[in-house]
Amino acid sequence: MVRKKNCVLKSSIVQGHYIGLFVLLVLGFFCLGTGLFIAFVQPYDLLFKWKIKFQDGGEIFEIWRKPEVELYTRVYLFNVTNAEEYMAGTDDKLSFKEIGPFVYRELLEHSQIKFNSNGTLSTIPKHPLVWVDELSEGNKEDDIVYLPHIALLSIANVVSAQSFMTRFGLNRLISLTNSQPLAKMTAREFMMGYKSELMTLGNTFMPGWIYFDKLGLIDRMYDFEGDYETIYTGETDISQSGLIDTYRGSTDLPQWPEKHCSNVQYASDGTKFKSGIVKNDSLLFYRKSLCRAAPLIPVKEGEKNGLKGVMYTFPDHMMDNGKYYEENKCFCRHGKCLPEGLLDVADCYYGFPIALSYPHFYKGDPELFNKIEGLKPDKELHETRFWIQPDSGLPLDVSAKFQINMPLGDITNIQNTAKFANLYLPLLWFDIRMFSLPSSLEMRFKMYLNILPAVEKSIMYVSFIVGAILIFVTVYILTFKIMFKSYRQKKRPTWSDKEKNTKDVYVPCELPLESESDCPDPKESKAFIKIHSDKIKELSQKLSDKVYDTVRIFDSERKNSLIVPECSEVNDAYRSESDSDRKERESDDDYKGEDCKYLEIIDDGSEFDDEYVCLKSDRARTLRELDK
């Protein structure tokens, strides 16, 4: 009964053992499958693409629609310090001194959004400006400055090439209004517009040319009246989400005659650039104030605001007009090319003689400095830099810097303006600046761009390692058990083998107890006990033989001895003992007579009782028994 219970217990343990190995194997394959799933499906990329695609209510779309970032326009004015001396002819060069910054916050918004069926959306951009006094470093909008009279010089530059009668009419207006090429005004008037009698007359007599009665450079630069654009949503190509498809209904700007100069398709307005940027990818940046899509090239990689970023800037000779790159001749207006470093954008500024450059004529032709002084170009201060997160295309740090100038022609035939003929007048430069991300955006960007990719990779690698270990260990254990079991079955001796081995005294039963079905039958158990009893009898016979040999050796030794004790001496000693001592000695289970030892046969269920085999101390009786 005990054996049967042991068989059941061992069977349960074995079954549990194999179930455990099976669970480990399944778990190993599950881990391995998880690693393969992450490696091939890349769930983070799916989540990331879903986030990047522009869709109503989407997270990145909302960031683009109305950015939470604090975007500023920092304006620096070139105040004329020797106006009277120059006008009087005492000084040959106009001297300028930079003042600023005058800081405005740009509340960028893409309004009136409508999703189209071709993977784009339509929107109207808005860029309202709000004065930020605390960032203006003590500069005020009402500071008095001496600056060029933009309206007078602009009209003079336009009319100088027209008929005599037109020039005569303009000269009469200048005389009546006593307009001077340099004028005192507040900083706000120069930036946001000031009223001029000359501008009023120009608006009256030339309504097709000038439709406003005041002129301010920043005000005109941020005039988005009538503008609309279509933007890629990323539905067809996720890398293009947020890029411009058309501006005012076209992929090209009407101011330029060739595609190289006019194209704005796939450009960014600075809110979001191309996604999935790879090494050496170039980008396009478009703002209305630039009047073109400017190329950006990668300069270096690094970290900005705790995120991986790539720094971009404008390439060398970006302001070239055909001197270095033949295809750039399309930037020459009406065939007239400005010196390198100036981009003629007059057609984007209502025909006024306006040209863009880098601040302080940085990287400009030396010719630009011939008649002016006070400008000090510096790469660290005046170079444009964009730090862009390459995976998302989101800007991390922005500093786009441009200068507005007036390239004047031969205006000697216009009253009061002769001294400004063939002069490149710097007016102001601005820096569209985003210093850092808001903390809420920075945390989200770090979660999406730093933490989640690392977590995905960690899970993938851990899954591969754990899965491989579990599978290897399970297969190893199973293989070892199968091989060991086969070896035991191959080496297990049979009863016939044991009978042939005369040196074996006792071989334990090796009946397998794998399961309950392997337990021996009761009839088989009786046969087994019978065989076992026979074996014990055989063992007893062998022990008797060994004792016989030992005693014979002892006898031969006694015969060779000089003193041989008599049996009677032993018997007399035995008789001399008191009855109580003899009984006590004989009652000891470990002693039967003086030199008598017994061999107790343990009851193992055989059919015979306990027997004692004793060797009597009587020499004669022992010798007679041994002789038999």
Side-chain angles (χ1 to χ4, degrees), residues 411-480:
I411 55 175
T412 55
N413 53 8
I414 304 299
Q415 190 170 342
N416 297 341
T417 63
K419 292 187 69 65
F420 290 84
N422 302 311
L423 186 66
Y424 302 104
L425 276 176
L427 302 177
L428 61 82
W429 70 274
F430 60 92
D431 180 11
I432 301 175
R433 191 77 171 89
M434 186 190 80
F435 292 96
S436 61
L437 295 171
S439 57
S440 58
L441 277 182
E442 186 175 333
M443 290 301 296
R444 275 190 282 175
F445 284 7
K446 286 181 179 179
M447 172 65 71
Y448 296 142
L449 302 172
N450 288 354
I451 298 176
L452 289 183
V455 169
E456 184 190 58
K457 286 185 178 180
S458 299
I459 293 175
M460 181 181 68
Y461 292 139
V462 170
S463 297
F464 276 132
I465 294 171
V466 173
I469 291 175
L470 290 177
I471 293 173
F472 174 79
V473 169
T474 306
V475 172
Y476 177 80
I477 292 174
L478 289 174
T479 304
F480 180 78

Side-chain angles (χ1 to χ4, degrees), residues 238-285:
I238 195 64
S239 66
Q240 297 175 1
S241 65
L243 303 184
I244 296 172
D245 176 31
T246 63
Y247 191 82
R248 288 197 170 190
S250 175
T251 59
D252 300 291
L253 298 174
Q255 291 83 5
W256 309 112
E258 297 180 18
K259 188 76 174 178
H260 174 73
C261 296
S262 64
N263 178 64
V264 293
Q265 192 176 32
Y266 305 119
S268 168
D269 63 358
T271 312
K272 182 188 175 302
F273 290 86
K274 173 183 175 182
S275 306
I277 298 173
V278 298
K279 191 174 183 180
N280 297 326
D281 267 359
S282 61
L283 308 174
L284 289 176
F285 172 61

Side-chain angles (χ1 to χ4, degrees), residues 199-262:
M199 285 297 300
T200 304
L201 291 173
N203 188 30
T204 302
F205 293 102
M206 294 176 287
W209 176 37
I210 300 174
Y211 63 87
F212 43 86
D213 59 359
K214 63 179 183 177
L215 177 63
L217 290 181
I218 300 300
D219 179 63
R220 293 299 91 202
M221 190 173 75
Y222 277 85
D223 176 23
F224 290 88
E225 184 71 27
D227 288 2
Y228 60 93
E229 56 191 16
T230 58
I231 304 294
Y232 287 108
T233 62
E235 184 177 339
T236 56
D237 186 348
I238 195 64
S239 66
Q240 297 175 1
S241 65
L243 303 184
I244 296 172
D245 176 31
T246 63
Y247 191 82
R248 288 197 170 190
S250 175
T251 59
D252 300 291
L253 298 174
Q255 291 83 5
W256 309 112
E258 297 180 18
K259 188 76 174 178
H260 174 73
C261 296
S262 64

Side-chain angles (χ1 to χ4, degrees), residues 291-354:
C291 197
R292 65 166 293 185
L296 292 169
I297 59 171
V299 177
K300 65 178 180 179
E301 298 180 1
E303 187 175 294
K304 203 70 175 178
N305 297 326
L307 295 165
K308 180 181 71 173
V310 180
M311 194 186 86
Y312 279 80
T313 190
F314 297 124
D316 291 337
H317 309 299
M318 197 272 283
M319 293 290 190
D320 173 56
N321 294 300
K323 179 179 179 180
Y324 295 96
Y325 301 104
E326 184 71 20
E327 60 271 21
N328 283 349
K329 282 190 175 181
C330 55
F331 289 118
C332 298
R333 185 170 178 260
H334 305 313
K336 182 182 178 181
C337 298
L338 296 177
E340 184 188 16
L342 289 179
L343 176 65
D344 195 337
V345 294
D347 290 331
C348 294
Y349 285 84
Y350 318 101
F352 292 121
I354 299 296

Side-chain angles (χ1 to χ4, degrees), residues 501-624:
N501 189 358
T502 58
K503 294 183 179 180
D504 292 338
V505 176
Y506 176 72
V507 179
C509 175
E510 292 184 3
L511 289 178
L513 300 178
E514 300 291 341
S515 64
E516 185 176 356
S517 60
D518 294 333
C519 293
D521 187 79
K523 295 180 180 181
E524 294 178 355
S525 298
K526 291 181 179 180
F528 170 76
I529 294 171
K530 179 66 175 176
I531 295 171
H532 193 60
S533 300
D534 294 340
K535 286 291 180 178
I536 292 176
K537 291 178 180 180
E538 182 181 350
L539 175 62
S540 301
Q541 183 63 38
K542 290 180 179 180
L543 288 174
S544 299
D545 292 342
K546 290 182 180 292
V547 172
Y548 172 78
D549 293 337
T550 304
V551 173
R552 293 190 65 176
I553 294 170
F554 174 75
D555 182 59
S556 62
E557 291 176 352
R558 291 289 298 269
K559 287 179 180 180
N560 295 328
S561 176
L562 295 177
I563 301 173
V564 180
E566 295 295 336
C567 290
S568 59
E569 295 176 1
V570 177
N571 293 335
D572 292 340
Y574 179 77
R575 283 193 298 268
S576 65
E577 290 180 334
S578 64
D579 292 338
S580 61
D581 294 338
R582 185 166 55 252
K583 288 180 181 180
E584 182 180 356
R585 178 168 48 83
E586 289 177 352
S587 64
D588 189 358
D589 289 340
D590 295 334
Y591 181 78
K592 299 297 181 180
E594 177 155 86
D595 289 320
C596 178
K597 295 190 179 294
Y598 72 91
L599 175 65
E600 181 180 4
I601 306 301
I602 306 300
D603 183 7
D604 61 345
S606 61
E607 295 178 349
F608 53 87
D609 297 326
D610 295 346
E611 294 181 4
Y612 290 91
V613 179
C614 298
L615 298 177
K616 300 296 183 178
S617 59
D618 187 291
R619 176 179 179 83
R621 183 178 177 183
T622 301
L623 292 176
R624 283 196 301 269

Side-chain angles (χ1 to χ4, degrees), residues 143-154:
D143 288 348
I144 302 298
V145 291
Y146 240 123
L147 295 168
H149 194 309
I150 300 174
L152 172 60
L153 295 174
S154 297

